[in-house]
Amino acid sequence: MAKSFLNAAEIAEGLGGFQASGQWLPSEGGQGIEFFEWLEAKLVARLSHIPEWEEIGAVALGSWARGELSPRSDIDVLLVGDESKILSFVTKLTSEGVKLRYRVPEDIQDWTVGVEPFDVLAVLHGRALNESVAQDLEHQKIMIRKRGSRFLRTLMRAMGEERRERSRRYDSITNYLEPNLKYGPGGLRDLQQALYVHELSFQKFQDQVSHHSLEVFSKYRQFFLTIRRRLHLMGSGDSVSAGDQKELALWFGYTEVKSFMRDIQVGLSRVSFYADWMVNRARASKKYIDEVESVSLNKASDCFAALQSDPSRLVRVKCVLSLKIWFNKIQI
């Protein structure tokens, strides 16, 4: 587990002000801010006091770029500035105990040369930390977007292999009892990959089912991120261990640990379900998607018949949404 870039006083400050809502409130009163903003300000302060900061051409990648930074997140950056300044910067930062996970482009004209598909995707979602590199970053993003379907197929293969490996690693009763919120099934990694798939294959997701799945992702992304950030402030990792569950449950306002853990498991299950659906739909042909969408579901028995004919993830999600709509009508 990575060491936090926060010092002991900042961790205490974070614990004191971090709320279950995802906000950070100052102890002396006043208006709260998003915890990510508070956390990023602390990190940037650690980096920017080094004189070379403005000359290294820093681009935030990964969780930092996505606004998902946690106290013990890896600090992923791309550095495209002067190499001698970069070396000096990294050396000074390391001597202060801050570990930076960085890379320098092989080709300054094309930052994706010699990197894996996931690293290309990271550049596409990168965020310039130095104003001097903002325009160059936008140019690189335009180049990546022009890659088209071939890049998407390569990325999907890499994503499939990575998902299968994680599934094997975390397919255990241990992970069920103490779920890993980042790498486990339905965790933040599955959720983010599904959002990437949705973005890159947007032409296959313009319907009501997609909107519903995005709502599920938005809800549980905030829930899981808040738990993860609190765990990190407590000195723990990404798994909700038995020793932390009671403290977390009380902090969230639950009266029973089992209710808190049930909500986590429901969330992981729902995210996993819709993440798999997004990946399957992105891989499906337009002809097959149209066939599924044309299936008429007017009552529950129609769902049973449709699933007997085709139990695929696409039909299952269509049935789930239909049942949700029918249930809401009954409630009204």
Side-chain angles (χ1 to χ4, degrees):
M1 183 66 198
K3 179 183 176 183
S4 178
F5 52 82
L6 300 175
N7 59 37
E10 290 170 336
I11 289 175
E13 182 184 353
L15 277 169
F18 188 35
Q19 308 294 304
S21 63
Q23 291 267 310
W24 185 84
L25 300 178
S27 58
E28 65 275 10
Q31 188 173 1
I33 60 174
E34 289 294 321
F35 183 69
F36 170 77
E37 296 177 32
W38 177 85
L39 197 60
E40 182 178 49
K42 298 297 183 183
L43 176 56
V44 171
R46 293 294 300 272
L47 304 180
S48 61
H49 84 280
I50 298 177
E52 293 85 354
W53 168 249
E54 294 295 339
E55 301 174 83
I56 61 175
V59 175
L61 305 175
S63 61
W64 188 359
R66 295 193 303 268
E68 296 184 355
L69 193 67
S70 293
R72 291 192 172 192
S73 290
D74 291 325
I75 308 171
D76 293 311
V77 292
L78 181 69
L79 304 180
V80 300
D82 182 88
E83 290 193 23
S84 62
K85 300 293 185 181
I86 290 173
L87 179 60
S88 177
F89 174 84
V90 173
T91 301
K92 292 175 182 177
L93 194 65
T94 302
S95 70
E96 295 182 4
V98 179
K99 184 178 180 182
L100 198 67
R101 197 162 73 172
Y102 75 99
R103 71 174 179 86
V104 177
E106 290 184 19
D107 183 346
I108 198 61
Q109 301 302 320
D110 184 350
W111 300 351
T112 67
V113 170
V115 303
E116 298 297 325
F118 283 123
D119 293 321
V120 176
L121 198 57
V123 174
L124 182 60
H125 294 86
R127 180 161 62 91
L129 299 172
N130 298 142
E131 187 176 346
S132 61
V133 79
Q135 187 173 346
D136 291 336
L137 175 61
E138 289 308 309
H139 175 67
Q140 295 295 324
K141 290 183 178 182
I142 291 172
M143 290 173 60
I144 293 171
R145 292 191 184 100
K146 289 180 178 179
R147 293 189 173 199
S149 58
R150 183 175 181 180
F151 168 66
L152 179 58
R153 289 194 296 271
T154 301
L155 177 63
M156 291 292 288
R157 284 195 298 270
M159 193 176 295
E161 293 172 3
E162 194 271 348
R163 284 166 62 86
R164 285 190 291 274
E165 173 58 30
R166 279 192 295 107
S167 179
R168 288 191 293 268
R169 181 178 177 186
Y170 291 97
D171 183 18
S172 67
I173 189 64
T174 300
N175 187 68
Y176 178 79
L177 296 174
E178 298 183 335
N180 187 296
L181 296 178
K182 182 175 181 180
Y183 296 112
L188 290 165
R189 179 59 62 86
D190 275 353
L191 192 157
Q192 187 57 51
Q193 288 184 353
L195 290 176
Y196 285 151
V197 168
H198 185 273
E199 175 189 355
L200 294 170
S201 303
F202 66 92
Q203 71 278 4
K204 293 187 177 181
F205 291 101
Q206 299 171 1
D207 60 18
Q208 192 173 5
V209 184
S210 302
H211 301 327
H212 173 65
S213 60
L214 292 175
E215 290 173 359
V216 171
F217 289 164
S218 178
K219 172 183 177 179
Y220 288 108
R221 175 182 180 271
Q222 181 62 34
F223 186 39
F224 295 161
L225 270 176
T226 302
I227 298 173
R228 184 179 187 234
R229 287 166 170 166
R230 180 70 182 187
L231 280 168
H232 285 193
L233 288 171
M234 291 162 57
S236 299
D238 297 327
S239 295
V240 188
S241 67
D244 292 327
Q245 290 173 11
K246 183 176 181 180
E247 180 177 343
L248 283 168
L250 292 174
W251 182 70
F252 268 97
Y254 286 81
T255 57
E256 294 182 321
V257 174
K258 65 180 181 181
S259 297
F260 172 64
M261 294 305 298
R262 180 183 63 229
D263 283 352
I264 290 178
Q265 291 296 345
V266 167
L268 292 171
S269 177
R270 295 188 72 192
V271 169
S272 180
F273 181 73
Y274 287 110
D276 287 345
W277 168 76
M278 279 196 171
V279 172
N280 289 354
R281 178 150 174 161
R283 289 173 172 167
S285 66
K286 185 179 184 303
K287 178 181 178 182
Y288 177 60
I289 292 174
D290 290 342
E291 288 176 0
V292 172
E293 293 303 315
S294 68
V295 174
S296 179
L297 302 176
N298 299 312
K299 52 187 181 298
S301 59
D302 291 340
C303 281
F304 300 142
L307 288 169
Q308 280 187 325
S309 175
D310 179 4
S312 70
R313 183 78 58 172
L314 270 65
V315 175
R316 288 164 62 187
V317 170
K318 182 178 175 67
C319 286
V320 167
L321 184 60
S322 296
L323 289 169
K324 178 181 173 64
I325 293 172
W326 298 333
F327 179 78
N328 288 339
K329 287 181 178 179
I330 293 173
Q331 292 292 92
I332 294 172

